[in-house]
Amino acid sequence: MTTPALLPLSGRRIPPLNLGPPSFPHHRATLRLSEKFILLLILSAFITLCFGAFFFLPDSSKHKRFDLGLEDVLIPHVDANRGAKNPGVFLIHGPDEHRHREEEERLRNKIRADHEKALEEAKEKLKKSREEIRAEIQTEKNKMMKHAWDNYRIYGWGHNELRPIARKGHSTNIFGSSQMGATIVDALDTLYIMGLLDEFRDGQKWIEDNLDFSVNSEVSVFEVNIRFIGGLLSAYYLSGEEIFKIKAVQLAEKLLPAFNTPTGIPWAMVNLKSGVGRNWGWASAGSSILAEFGTLHMEFVHLSYLTGDPVYYKKVMHIRKLLQKMDRPNGLYPNYLNPRTGRWGQYHTSVGGLGDSFYEYLLKAWLMSDKTDHEARKMYDDAIEAIEKHLIKKSRGGLTFIGEWKNGHLEKKMGHLACFAGGMFALGADGSRMDKAGHYLELGAEIAHTCHESYDRTALKLGPESFKFDGAVEAVAVRQAEKYYILRPEVIETYWYLWRFTHDPRYRRWGWEAALAIEKYCRVSGGFSGVKDVYSSTPTHDDVQQSFFLAETLKYLYLLFSGDDLLPLDHWVFNTEAHPLPVLHLSNATLSGNPAVL
Ligand code: DMJ
């Protein structure tokens, strides 16, 4: 299969799509899509038609069409012979029996007609060339991304995020006071993966011409690392375009002053111009946050790999060594650590906000090192064992949840953010201690189920920011301030990992439900917006299209409905913002050909 025609940009050509195993050192080898993939595409086309519409259809009539298809496939139908075979199940007599038979007949006819129609459409489809079929499927699968991107392009270009209702740019303090095009950088690899190459080139051009880090602006070290450095590195590895690597390194240099603290634990924020750092005013006793200083490892190791400069690697290894030496109450890592004293702040532990991606990066450091970083794997295993012992419980109704540890007390509340852990447990199953792979896969599935319940128990079928397990209350938000959904990815992320590891169709079904709900309640004419109350059937929008919606939510949805050979997990490791980075084969200790670096 040929790769899409690529127009030159700034005198260069974007290299062909390379979404299978990465190639080193410059990642420019063409990946030929296998025959198997082509067959899968044709099969996908057939399924598309059987379902009535494949993916992300904008108008409600098409949704209805899909809903019917989905019901036909997923809801067991009345078998005409079943009453006879199972007396007692359908013992209906008199006029009721007549009505019942008529209803059965009507249903059968409808199924037959739907299937015949789908077959006809499939036959028509198969007359088309592979390229045409592929293009059609792509167009359907890209629709949500196109809507999000196109509106940002029109109304928010260069701003960090978009207000889809006010139709103007938007930003928050994590990005500082400058227009740094966060959505462009965060969305780049999603565009590339989806084959939206005109849009990708447009973003690249903006970055080449406008992205400047010498600004007097105070940014979040963590957010800028996961969204900008992660996004740029991923765009570099996928496309091979040097500009992304150059920008990633320029930005990383600007973050380095944040590590100038008495302990080497970085400040939460740094001014890109002056290099002055400080912590969030709300953090316990001037502390830095575990999920922030503990979520730098992947990107920083890649920076050392690409530049040959050990400085980045040393910074994150220093953090790890320091954490290893510290006492941990009940084996748990508290969320707060003071960068001046090196002492823990409040004894709060969470797998959701403030803790989450620290655990994720321990596991991913091991995966990214081609499973040679045993120290990281040990830290992950130890942490997960303590979490399972103290934080993971079953509700009265049998739902497994991850609570929050607060000064020796377990708060039975789970955040949407913690739902990513279902995917993490599944991803970490292989290689777990005492061969507990089955156990961790099951635990991941239980978390996925609980998080799906948190969606299913709402009016909008979208999950709240956080939900409780308290007596009769199960997987439901109680406080008004916890009922919002801001286009977060974690639940869909977990569905995708679970799908990759089990191929259980429920995960695609659940992902599809979420996609439909987002289409129905979050889509507005100027993009996609979060909603303020998922329990109200008439949603109020928050008027923010978060950059992570394009980086993560839409990417995970796309991957959920793609084949496993698109970004295989034994070759790519996704950073916490869903930016794929290749596994590094560092066993011979070379970073960019420099054995001294490690
Ligand atoms: C993302 O920016 C990242 O996934 C981060 O780790 C925490 N959550 C947001 C999206 O919800």
Side-chain angles (χ1 to χ4, degrees):
M1 178 176 281
T2 55
T3 49
L6 301 167
L7 299 174
L9 175 85
S10 317
R12 288 191 310 276
R13 290 176 69 81
I14 294 176
L17 291 172
N18 175 17
L19 304 170
S23 49
F24 289 89
H26 297 300
H27 325 287
R28 285 175 182 271
T30 307
L31 176 80
R32 272 204 200 92
L33 294 176
S34 65
E35 285 302 308
K36 189 177 139 212
F37 184 56
I38 293 164
L39 283 174
L40 270 172
L41 285 177
I42 293 171
L43 187 63
S44 306
F46 177 72
I47 293 168
T48 301
L49 293 163
C50 286
F51 275 20
F54 185 65
F55 203 59
F56 309 148
L57 305 178
D59 61 279
S60 55
S61 63
K62 284 182 180 172
H63 286 163
K64 269 185 216 141
R65 226 176 120 204
F66 179 82
D67 286 344
L68 284 174
L70 194 66
E71 276 166 26
D72 287 349
V73 174
L74 303 177
I75 300 172
H77 291 296
V78 179
D79 180 336
N81 300 318
R82 198 166 153 204
K85 280 185 191 158
N86 300 298
V89 176
F90 290 110
L91 283 180
I92 305 168
H93 299 290
D96 274 356
E97 183 183 3
H98 182 67
R99 216 177 316 119
H100 185 74
R101 289 205 185 287
E102 273 184 0
E103 177 58 15
E104 276 185 17
E105 190 54 31
R106 194 195 61 73
L107 198 55
R108 263 199 308 278
N109 288 340
K110 180 183 165 308
I111 294 165
R112 203 173 295 127
D114 282 354
H115 285 192
E116 275 164 14
K117 188 163 168 246
L119 267 176
E120 272 315 303
E121 286 178 8
K123 272 194 226 156
E124 278 305 304
K125 194 89 170 176
L126 289 169
K127 282 183 198 155
K128 296 182 178 165
S129 72
R130 285 170 185 167
E131 285 305 317
E132 283 173 315
I133 293 171
R134 183 173 177 270
E136 278 180 20
I137 293 170
Q138 276 304 106
T139 310
E140 291 302 316
K141 290 178 73 175
N142 290 339
K143 272 187 174 163
M144 287 174 89
M145 184 67 182
K146 276 284 284 170
H147 185 68
W149 174 265
D150 288 348
N151 279 290
Y152 168 76
R153 179 76 183 81
I154 299 168
Y155 303 115
W157 196 234
H159 289 266
N160 289 316
E161 294 179 320
L162 169 69
R163 284 201 179 280
I165 296 173
R167 297 183 183 224
K168 60 180 191 183
H170 169 259
S171 197
T172 66
N173 59 348
I174 59 173
F175 303 118
S177 51
S178 288
Q179 289 186 25
M180 298 216 302
T183 296
I184 301 175
V185 183
D186 230 3
L188 276 177
D189 55 2
T190 309
L191 294 170
Y192 192 87
I193 291 161
M194 292 183 177
L196 292 168
L197 297 178
D198 288 340
E199 291 79 358
F200 179 85
R201 277 191 295 270
D202 220 6
Q204 178 175 349
K205 178 98 176 67
W206 186 90
I207 287 169
E208 283 174 340
D209 296 346
N210 301 288
L211 190 55
D212 174 18
F213 303 117
S214 327
V215 285
N216 185 8
S217 183
E218 190 182 54
V219 300
S220 155
V221 174
F222 158 77
E223 296 287 357
V224 157
N225 176 59
I226 64 168
R227 302 191 200 210
F228 283 77
I229 297 186
L232 290 164
L233 289 178
S234 188
Y236 167 69
Y237 281 117
L238 290 169
S239 72
E241 290 290 325
E242 289 286 318
I243 182 68
F244 299 126
K245 182 172 81 176
I246 293 168
K247 292 286 177 186
V249 176
Q250 281 175 0
L251 176 54
E253 280 168 6
K254 297 280 181 187
L255 297 187
L256 288 178
F259 292 79
N260 295 336
T261 64
T263 57
I265 294 290
W267 300 113
M269 284 172 286
V270 70
N271 184 301
L272 292 175
K273 191 166 201 158
S274 66
V276 173
R278 70 181 173 103
N279 274 344
W280 304 110
W282 49 261
S284 159
S287 292
S288 300
I289 307 293
L290 182 69
E292 297 198 333
F293 64 78
T295 309
L296 304 166
H297 192 98
M298 291 180 69
E299 297 80 3
F300 275 47
V301 170
H302 272 279
L303 287 164
S304 280
Y305 170 77
L306 290 172
T307 60
D309 184 344
V311 65
Y312 308 103
Y313 175 79
K314 284 182 176 165
K315 296 285 181 208
V316 289
M317 285 311 284
H318 177 79
I319 297 175
R320 181 192 287 181
K321 296 290 174 203
L322 195 138
L323 286 175
Q324 267 183 326
K325 277 192 276 172
M326 295 192 61
D327 280 340
R328 283 174 286 135
N330 290 313
L332 297 167
Y333 288 91
N335 293 333
Y336 302 104
L337 181 60
N338 189 309
R340 291 183 202 277
T341 63
R343 284 204 285 270
W344 297 120
Q346 280 171 314
Y347 281 4
H348 288 188
T349 297
S350 168
V351 180
L354 309 183
D356 49 9
S357 43
F358 163 68
Y359 306 101
E360 177 185 354
Y361 270 35
L362 291 176
L363 174 65
K364 290 182 174 176
W366 174 70
L367 289 168
M368 203 183 81
S369 70
D370 199 19
K371 304 186 179 174
T372 58
D373 185 349
H374 302 295
E375 187 178 76
R377 177 76 215 205
K378 181 181 178 318
M379 287 174 78
Y380 172 78
D381 286 335
D382 288 346
I384 294 308
E385 276 174 23
I387 284 166
E388 217 184 329
K389 187 164 170 197
H390 298 288
L391 268 60
I392 300 186
K393 301 284 169 208
K394 257 204 176 28
S395 72
R396 278 199 212 161
L399 295 177
T400 303
F401 66 94
I402 313 177
E404 309 234 329
W405 190 257
K406 296 204 168 152
N407 300 321
H409 166 77
L410 185 74
E411 196 178 350
K412 294 182 180 171
K413 188 165 98 173
M414 181 168 172
H416 192 289
L417 289 166
C419 286
F420 91 97
M424 179 178 73
F425 293 140
L427 185 64
D430 189 26
S432 59
R433 260 179 209 156
M434 294 183 296
D435 199 19
K436 284 173 75 183
H439 167 75
Y440 285 113
L441 213 49
E442 179 58 28
L443 185 57
E446 287 175 21
I447 298 298
H449 172 61
T450 299
C451 293
H452 175 255
E453 286 299 308
S454 79
Y455 275 50
D456 207 41
R457 296 174 187 201
T458 71
L460 304 189
K461 304 294 173 197
L462 291 168
E465 179 67 1
S466 119
F467 41 94
K468 286 207 130 184
F469 297 86
D470 199 0
V473 173
E474 298 230 338
V476 171
V478 179
R479 292 174 49 213
Q480 191 57 37
E482 293 168 344
K483 294 182 177 173
Y484 60 89
Y485 172 70
I486 54 168
L487 303 170
R488 284 199 193 279
E490 291 77 17
V491 176
I492 295 167
E493 172 183 354
T494 275
Y495 294 162
W496 174 60
Y497 280 108
L498 264 296
W499 163 257
R500 277 271 170 117
F501 292 115
T502 66
H503 281 186
D504 183 333
R506 85 179 63 181
Y507 299 114
R508 279 192 164 171
R509 202 168 70 226
W510 291 350
W512 183 255
E513 284 169 13
L516 287 182
I518 292 170
E519 272 288 287
K520 193 164 175 187
Y521 298 113
C522 301
R523 185 190 182 105
V524 294
S525 58
F528 288 90
S529 163
V531 291
K532 290 183 180 166
D533 184 351
V534 289
Y535 299 95
S536 158
S537 47
T538 47
T540 314
H541 292 111
D542 68 4
D543 199 13
V544 180
Q545 179 176 284
Q546 308 274 351
S547 80
F548 55 66
F549 180 63
L550 293 89
E552 298 191 74
T553 313
L554 294 180
K555 188 186 286 139
Y556 286 130
L557 269 174
Y558 184 85
L559 290 171
L560 180 61
F561 291 93
S562 299
D564 294 357
D565 49 359
L566 181 61
L567 299 168
L569 286 172
D570 46 351
H571 292 285
W572 295 92
V573 186
F574 287 68
N575 88 340
T576 192
E577 187 79 359
H579 296 306
L581 300 174
V583 169
L584 296 176
H585 302 278
L586 296 175
S587 47
N588 53 0
T590 60
L591 286 178
S592 251
N594 178 359
V597 169
L598 281 178

